[in-house]
Every structure is written in structure tokens, then in C-alpha cells.
């Protein structure tokens, strides 16, 4: 076996997972987590999650096209991309206020990525070109993706499929329940009935954010170590516009999230001040007749 095979140089696809794109995805993960948490606390719209869902959809389409070509991508390149897409989609929190269309796309992407994940580990690896003698992945150590690690991912894909089926069934049930509630509220409003507002949720948000953060760190280490150990080249530079543009766009998104949080906090503070001023005015209006009454009582004694 020659040295070229031993060093196993793989020319990567920078337009799919170059350094700028990867850094952009990593920063976007953090931005989505912060934006989602802020939207829950401030009861505002999380438009950033919607953008991430569309981005994952576009990237997934490109990946599927490369897999159909089969000669343009190797097996060692696929599992880092799948990890990035799954991790990025996992940080999204799609609530009812994001719209049913966004929820439809989200569920479709989850089902599609799970199916693609299972196909790759069960069959796709054998159909893709393999230039290297062995391909490595990070699992708390350098391991081969072709032996027990592949079996582990096969088992994981089975559980993922089961979870995906339950997710789809739960989503369909939630859609039916939502439509029923909307129809009920419509008839109540038509009849002139009113209902109280529900209490705000949010318990356990910090715990979920902590878990998401740990998962994101693990995904980043998993991807970067896989690229390093498999000597994948041409994906470690920000020189081309196709790399530094996604990087700076993600930074701009993060800054816009912080700006939105600051603006929302200022608006909440102004609302609290206006409410306190209103209450003070009502209290002053309430006690002013009594003050006049006391003054009138003292007047005859002057």
C-alpha cells in the first residue's frame, strides 16, 4: 500500500461544508438558541428559526443531488454534513405562533433527515466512492466508521425512525387538536363568549437550552475531528467569497438577535414605567377628593 493511500487525502466540497459555512452554522446554532429563548420569555416571534429551517431544506436538497450523482462525494464527507444538518435542525423551536407552514416544513425535514441518516448507514456507504483505506470518526476517540461504529449508527437509526414515527403521529394529532380549538374559539366568538388567557409557559426552558448547548458542542467536535483525521482538504479557508460571506452573515444575525433582545427589554421597561405612571395617576385621582374634604373641614375654623 503506497503512502498516498495511507495519508488518504480527500478533496472536500467547500461550497457545502467549507470553513466559512461551518463557522456560519455554528454561530447560527447559538443565535437560534438565544433567539428561541428570548421569544419564549418575551412572547415574541422567532423569525430566525424560520430562516434556519429554510436553510436546512436548501442544504439538504444539495446533499441529495450530490448523493444521486454518487461520483462527486465520498462516504467520509456525508456523515459530517448529516451531523451539521441534524444539529442545526435540533436547536429550532417551532411553536404554534410560527405558523403551520413552518411546522409542516420542519416535520418534513425531520422525517427526511432521519430517512437519509438510516439510508446512509445501512446502504449508502456501500454505494459511494471510497478513496481511503479507512475512514475515521470521533467517538471520544479515533474510531473507524466501517465496523462497530457503523453498527451503532444502524441501531441508532432504528430508534430515530421509531421516534420520527411518533413525532409525525403526535404532530398530526396536534394539528387536528389545534384546528378543533380554533373552530371552537370561532364559534364562541361568534356567540359573543369570551375566555380567559392562558398562563405563559416556560418551565424547563433553561434545562432544554443547556442540553442543546451540550449537543451542539458535541456536534462541532464530531465534525471538526472527522475533517481533521480524514485529511479532508480545501475546506479550511475563508479566502473565497463563498466562505467569508456566510460567516459574516451569521455574525450579523447574532448581532441582530442581541439588538432585538435589547430593544425588547427597553420596550418592556417602558411599558412597566407607563403602567406604574398610570397606577400613580389613578391613586392620585382616588385620594384627591379626600384631600379636598380635609381642607374643607379645616376651612370653618380659620
Amino acid at each position: 500500500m503506497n503512502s498516498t493511500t495511507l495519508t488518504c487525502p480527500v478533496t472536500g466540497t467547500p461550497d457545502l461544508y467549507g470553513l466559512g459555512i461551518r463557522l456560519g452554522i455554528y454561530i447560527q446554532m447559538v443565535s437560534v438558541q438565544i433567539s428561541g429563548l428570548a421569544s419564549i420569555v418575551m412572547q415574541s416571534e422567532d423569525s430566525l428559526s424560520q430562516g434556519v429551517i429554510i436553510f436546512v431544506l436548501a442544504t439538504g436538497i444539495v446533499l441529495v443531488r450530490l448523493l444521486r450523482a454518487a461520483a462527486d462525494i465520498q462516504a467520509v464527507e456525508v456523515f459530517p454534513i448529516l451531523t451539521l444538518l441534524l444539529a442545526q435542525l435540533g436547536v429550532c423551536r417551532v411553536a404554534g405562533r410560527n405558523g403551520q407552514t413552518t411546522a409542516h416544513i420542519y416535520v418534513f425535514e425531520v422525517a427526511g433527515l432521519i430517512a437519509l441518516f438510516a439510508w446512509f448507514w445501512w446502504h449508502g456507504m456501500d454505494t459511494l466512492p471510497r478513496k481511503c483505506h479507512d475512514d475515521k470518526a470521533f467517538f471520544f476517540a479515533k474510531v473507524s466508521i466501517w465496523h462497530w461504529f457503523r453498527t451503532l449508527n444502524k441501531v441508532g437509526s432504528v430508534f430515530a425512525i421509531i421516534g420520527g414515527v411518533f413525532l409525525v403521529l403526535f404532530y398530526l394529532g396536534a394539528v387536528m387538536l389545534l384546528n378543533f380549538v380554533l373552530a371552537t374559539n370561532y364559534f364562541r366568538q361568534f356567540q359573543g363568549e369570551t375566555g380567559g388567557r392562558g398562563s405563559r409557559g416556560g418551565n424547563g426552558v433553561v434545562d432544554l437550552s443547556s442540553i442543546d448547548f451540550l449537543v451542539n458542542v458535541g456536534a462541532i467536535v464530531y465534525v471538526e475531528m472527522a475533517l481533521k483525521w480524514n485529511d479532508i482538504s480545501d475546506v479550511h479557508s475563508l479566502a473565497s467569497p463563498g466562505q467569508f460571506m456566510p460567516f459574516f452573515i451569521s455574525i450579523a444575525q447574532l448581532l441582530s438577535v442581541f439588538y432585538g433582545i435589547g430593544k425588547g427589554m427597553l420596550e418592556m421597561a417602558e411599558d412597566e414605567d407607563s403602567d406604574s405612571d398610570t397606577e400613580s395617576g389613578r391613586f392620585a385621582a382616588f385620594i384627591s377628593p379626600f384631600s379636598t374634604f380635609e381642607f374643607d373641614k379645616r376651612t370653618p375654623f380659620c
Side-chain angles (χ1 to χ4, degrees), residues 230-302:
N230 293 290
D231 296 327
I232 299 179
S233 60
D234 293 346
V235 292
H236 304 288
S237 175
L238 291 173
S240 63
Q243 299 303 315
F244 65 75
M245 287 181 64
F247 173 66
F248 285 110
I249 289 174
S250 64
I251 292 179
Q253 285 180 334
L254 181 61
L255 294 177
S256 67
V257 169
F258 285 120
Y259 172 77
I261 293 175
K263 182 179 179 181
M265 293 178 65
L266 290 176
E267 291 178 352
M268 292 175 63
E270 291 178 357
D271 292 339
E272 291 179 357
D273 292 339
S274 62
D275 292 340
S276 62
D277 293 340
T278 303
E279 293 296 331
S280 300
R282 291 177 180 176
F283 182 72
F286 175 75
I287 65 174
S288 59
F290 296 96
S291 301
T292 306
F293 175 74
E294 294 294 335
F295 178 78
D296 292 339
K297 287 177 62 179
R298 291 193 300 267
T299 303
F301 296 97
C302 295

Side-chain angles (χ1 to χ4, degrees), residues 135-215:
D135 300 316
K136 302 297 182 180
F138 173 81
F139 192 75
F140 304 104
K142 184 186 293 187
V143 299
S144 173
I145 69 173
W146 294 95
H147 304 296
W148 66 266
F149 187 72
R150 181 181 185 181
T151 304
L152 178 65
N153 281 277
K154 286 182 179 180
V155 176
S157 66
V158 173
F159 285 103
I161 291 173
I162 296 174
V165 171
F166 279 105
L167 173 65
V168 172
L169 293 177
F170 174 79
Y171 174 72
L172 293 177
V175 170
M176 295 175 62
L177 179 62
L178 177 62
N179 291 329
F180 174 76
V181 171
L182 291 176
T184 304
N185 290 336
Y186 173 78
F187 284 113
R188 286 181 177 179
Q189 292 177 1
F190 181 77
Q191 295 175 358
E193 298 180 4
T194 58
R197 294 183 179 179
S199 59
R200 292 185 179 182
N203 294 331
V205 174
V206 177
D207 295 336
L208 287 176
S209 299
S210 301
I211 295 174
D212 286 341
F213 178 76
L214 294 177
V215 171

Side-chain angles (χ1 to χ4, degrees), residues 78-113:
V78 176
F79 71 88
I81 302 173
L82 281 176
T83 302
L84 286 178
L85 295 180
L86 288 170
Q88 193 174 21
L89 195 62
V91 300
C92 294
R93 294 287 179 264
V94 181
R97 59 179 175 271
N98 293 119
Q100 291 192 17
T101 302
T102 303
H104 293 338
I105 298 175
Y106 177 79
V107 173
F108 171 77
E109 289 180 358
V110 171
L113 286 177

